[in-house]
């Protein structure tokens, strides 16, 4: 898992919001130029196709990369799969999948559950626990989030950008606000989540243009941003106001608010958010009641990164 470190920012922190924030004005198209839309990826593309870029690199361990592809194919929706199913999902040959599973099984990271179906074993947790224990951002964020959940009775998370997705590295939850429960390690698309909007907004201009040129905007709900132009304008507004609110774009009934977490050098290294039920928490309440708490938590988390 990698953490994108993004553009520098002046040392001055954003001032706390007033009790009644100003109405956000839309930005004109001329203020934000976006790259032309790239062709949609081929429907035949598979995860293993990405390995072709490393062909001929003598230092690249293809066998290790294939094993990681197999590991990442297991999800809460598909916790058990056969060799044939994994072959289709990864794009690897059945023989390659079988060797990966054989090795993972011998090391205790996977095993046969039912008949010919494989599943990951609890030993896999040692890999994620090693990351959490060695990552100062993750270890520092967890107690801050839990304290906020206790005081405000809401769910809070911290995430970083990994490729085109956000990855949760810390989370405290008081209720289930989504159909699929989120946890540390969960991945969501960046373009239609508040944390993703924050992380994208503070990318260097060149990286942002590359992202906008390749992203495919899947409509998860009727409210999902439907064009590159609209997404670009939304990101510009995030930079202008210092926070992002996404209203039911990933799931109907879910509303979220996110703010950036700055490193001591002024770079955005993560984001912290509140997620809650749209009928219960209004946009205005997020701006007036919760935004100051999130900004204070982000500033506190930034101190631990020194």
């Amino acid at each position: 898992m990698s953490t994108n470190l993004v553009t520098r920012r002046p040392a001055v922190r954003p001032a706390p919001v007033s009790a009644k924030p100003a109405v956000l004005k839309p930005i004109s198209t001329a203020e934000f130029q976006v790259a032309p839309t790239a062709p949609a990826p081929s429907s035949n593309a598979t995860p293993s196709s990405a390995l072709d870029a490393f062909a001929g690199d003598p230092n690249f361990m293809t066998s290790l990369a294939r094993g990681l592809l197999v590991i990442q194919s297991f999800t809460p929706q598909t916790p058990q799969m056969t060799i044939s199913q994994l072959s289709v999902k990864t794009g690897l040959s059945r023989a390659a999948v079988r060797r990966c599973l054989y090795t993972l099984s011998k090391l205790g990271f996977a095993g046969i559950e039912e008949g010919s179906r494989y599943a990951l074993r609890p030993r896999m947790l040692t890999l994620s626990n090693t990351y959490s224990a060695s990552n100062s951002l993750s270890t520092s964020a967890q107690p801050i989030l839990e304290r906020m959940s206790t005081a405000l009775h809401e769910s809070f998370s911290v995430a970083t950008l990994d490729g085109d997705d956000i990855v949760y590295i810390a989370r405290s939850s008081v209720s289930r606000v989504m159909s699929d429960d989120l946890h540390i390690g969960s991945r969501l698309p960046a373009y239609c989540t508040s944390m993703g909007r924050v992380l994208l907004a503070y990318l260097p201009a060149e990286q942002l243009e590359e992202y906008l040129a390749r992203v495919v905007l899947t409509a998860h709900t009727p409210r999902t941003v439907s064009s590159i132009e609209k997404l670009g304008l939304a990101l510009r507004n995030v930079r202008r106001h210092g926070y992002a609110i996404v209203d039911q774009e990933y799931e109907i009934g879910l509303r979220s608010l996110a703010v950036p977490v700055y490193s001591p050098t002024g770079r955005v290294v993560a984001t912290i958010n509140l997620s809650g039920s749209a009928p219960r928490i209004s946009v205005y309440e997020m701006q007036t009641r919760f935004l100051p708490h999130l900004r204070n938590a982000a500033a506190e988390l930034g101190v631990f990164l020194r």
Side-chain angles (χ1 to χ4, degrees), residues 28-286:
S28 65
T29 304
E31 292 183 68
F32 194 96
Q33 299 297 323
V34 299
T37 304
S42 169
S43 58
N44 295 324
T46 61
S48 65
S49 301
L51 304 185
D52 295 340
F54 303 100
D57 185 345
N59 295 314
F60 185 76
M61 295 182 63
T62 303
S63 58
L64 174 58
R66 288 172 176 169
L68 293 174
L69 287 181
V70 170
I71 290 173
Q72 293 175 82
S73 295
F74 292 97
T75 67
Q77 293 73 36
T78 55
Q80 299 179 11
M81 286 182 284
T82 64
I83 291 177
S84 295
Q85 290 171 328
L86 284 164
S87 177
V88 171
K89 192 168 185 178
T90 61
L92 299 172
S93 68
R94 287 169 51 90
V97 171
R98 181 184 58 77
R99 289 194 297 271
C100 290
L101 290 172
Y102 178 84
T103 303
L104 290 170
S105 297
K106 286 296 183 181
L107 297 176
F109 291 105
I112 295 179
E113 288 293 313
E114 298 178 0
S116 60
R117 293 180 177 272
Y118 284 81
L120 298 179
R121 291 285 193 244
R123 190 173 185 182
M124 192 63 65
L125 291 172
T126 61
L127 301 180
S128 61
N129 289 339
T130 298
Y131 169 80
S132 299
S134 62
N135 184 275
S136 60
L137 183 59
S138 177
T139 55
S140 301
Q142 194 61 44
I144 295 175
L145 299 184
E146 291 175 357
R147 187 180 70 235
M148 291 176 67
S149 287
T150 299
L152 301 173
H153 308 291
E154 299 294 344
S155 299
F156 297 92
S157 307
V158 169
T160 57
L161 194 63
D162 185 31
D164 293 347
D165 297 331
I166 60 168
V167 178
Y168 285 70
I169 64 171
R171 177 165 170 81
S172 64
S173 179
V174 295
S175 63
R176 189 168 185 171
V177 298
M178 301 183 70
S179 57
D180 291 318
D181 200 20
L182 294 170
H183 52 80
I184 295 175
S186 291
R187 303 176 69 93
L188 294 177
Y191 68 90
C192 59
T193 55
S194 62
M195 291 195 288
R197 294 266 175 91
V198 166
L199 294 169
L200 291 174
Y202 290 94
L203 282 175
E206 182 178 349
Q207 292 183 30
L208 178 57
E209 288 178 1
E210 292 174 354
Y211 172 83
L212 293 174
R214 70 175 180 267
V215 67
V216 177
L217 303 180
T218 301
H220 295 277
T221 78
R223 293 173 175 260
T224 306
V225 164
S226 57
S227 71
I228 296 298
E229 182 181 66
K230 290 180 179 179
L231 177 59
L233 296 179
L235 298 180
R236 179 66 175 176
N237 276 322
V238 172
R239 288 187 66 95
R240 170 176 287 185
H241 301 291
Y243 64 90
I245 291 180
V246 170
D247 190 3
Q248 306 179 76
E249 291 191 37
Y250 183 73
E251 179 178 318
I252 291 297
L254 176 68
R255 181 175 290 144
S256 61
L257 164 70
V259 300
V261 175
Y262 296 94
S263 72
T265 60
R267 295 176 295 181
V268 173
V269 295
T271 175
I272 182 171
N273 96 324
L274 154 75
S275 57
S277 169
R280 185 170 53 82
I281 306 178
S282 67
V283 170
Y284 181 78
E285 186 177 13
M286 283 189 165

